[in-house]
Amino acid sequence: MKITVIRHFPTRGNLERRYIGKTDEGIELVTAHKDYAYLDAEIVFTSPMRRAVETAKILFPMSYKIVIDELAEMDFGIFENKSYMELKNCKKYAQWLESYCEKPCPCGESKAEFCKRVCLGIEKIKKKAKELKVSEAVVVAHEGTAMAIGESAAKQKIPYFDVKLSYGESVVFDI
């Protein structure tokens, strides 16, 4: 099955370069984007976060939207809604970065926990796609979600930090 993951448009926190996971902001700016009409998506799966749902409504106004809770961005715990400048002197933040984000964010998720959750969401998409007899799916979510899919669910594994998406940009995975 092919899954096209599109990163949501930016929020105020994104533009301020903050860790935005559970903060449920709407989009601040509609960025230039490709014409995604070629996907002809009757159904679009989205993260439950407002920024993803709003982006899906803009890109696919006529498509039916299905929210998959497990596609939400990583829970950054105490780092949530903070910038590097605000965290650079925090010992716990330094330890998290030194672990290449493998350790859990304090009061949040580890990369492994996040990837496992996203994979549960992919299983829900696969089940729904089978019910609907579709072989391709469109997902509007987060860069972190795409990173987790690439490393954990894609047939051709892509290292987590090798998946890079600008706002409104897409990547296709075979899962």
Side-chain angles (χ1 to χ4, degrees):
M1 170 178 207
K2 290 201 183 308
I3 293 184
T4 300
V5 180
I6 303 168
R7 185 179 185 188
H8 63 80
F9 294 143
T11 68
R12 179 177 303 279
N14 295 142
L15 295 171
E16 294 173 356
R17 302 188 52 85
R18 296 177 174 281
Y19 287 95
I20 303 297
K22 292 177 72 172
T23 301
D24 201 14
E25 298 181 319
I27 58 175
E28 186 73 18
L29 177 68
V30 176
T31 58
H33 57 83
K34 298 176 185 176
D35 179 7
Y36 290 103
Y38 74 91
L39 293 172
D40 194 28
E42 290 180 39
I43 299 165
V44 175
F45 298 93
T46 73
S47 153
M49 307 311 289
R50 267 183 28 210
R51 55 197 181 266
V53 173
E54 289 174 3
T55 300
K57 286 179 182 176
I58 291 167
L59 294 177
F60 303 97
M62 305 307 286
S63 299
Y64 181 71
K65 316 304 183 292
I66 298 175
V67 172
I68 305 290
D69 290 337
E70 292 84 358
L71 298 178
E73 180 60 279
M74 183 178 204
D75 181 350
F76 293 111
I78 65 170
F79 309 144
E80 180 69 26
N81 208 15
K82 292 186 172 74
S83 68
Y84 167 79
M85 293 305 291
E86 293 168 317
L87 293 167
K88 68 180 181 179
N89 295 319
C90 173
K91 184 178 180 182
K92 290 179 180 182
Y93 180 66
Q95 291 170 337
W96 181 64
L97 290 179
E98 288 167 5
S99 78
Y100 294 100
C101 310
E102 294 289 340
K103 288 185 177 180
C105 298
C107 302
E109 291 177 295
S110 69
K111 186 179 88 166
E113 291 166 333
F114 172 55
C115 289
K116 184 176 180 181
R117 173 172 54 81
V118 170
C119 284
L120 292 173
I122 294 300
E123 290 305 314
K124 286 184 177 182
I125 290 171
K126 288 167 54 178
K127 182 178 178 185
K128 191 67 173 173
K130 188 174 181 180
E131 287 173 18
L132 299 170
K133 296 179 175 53
V134 295
S135 60
E136 295 186 27
V138 174
V139 170
V140 179
H142 315 275
E143 184 178 42
T145 305
M147 294 163 80
I149 293 169
E151 181 168 288
S152 303
K155 284 184 181 175
Q156 298 266 306
K157 304 291 186 228
I158 301 170
Y160 191 82
F161 292 108
D162 286 359
V163 178
K164 303 280 188 223
L165 291 177
S166 296
Y167 301 103
E169 192 173 52
S170 65
V171 61
V172 179
F173 296 107
D174 191 12
I175 60 162

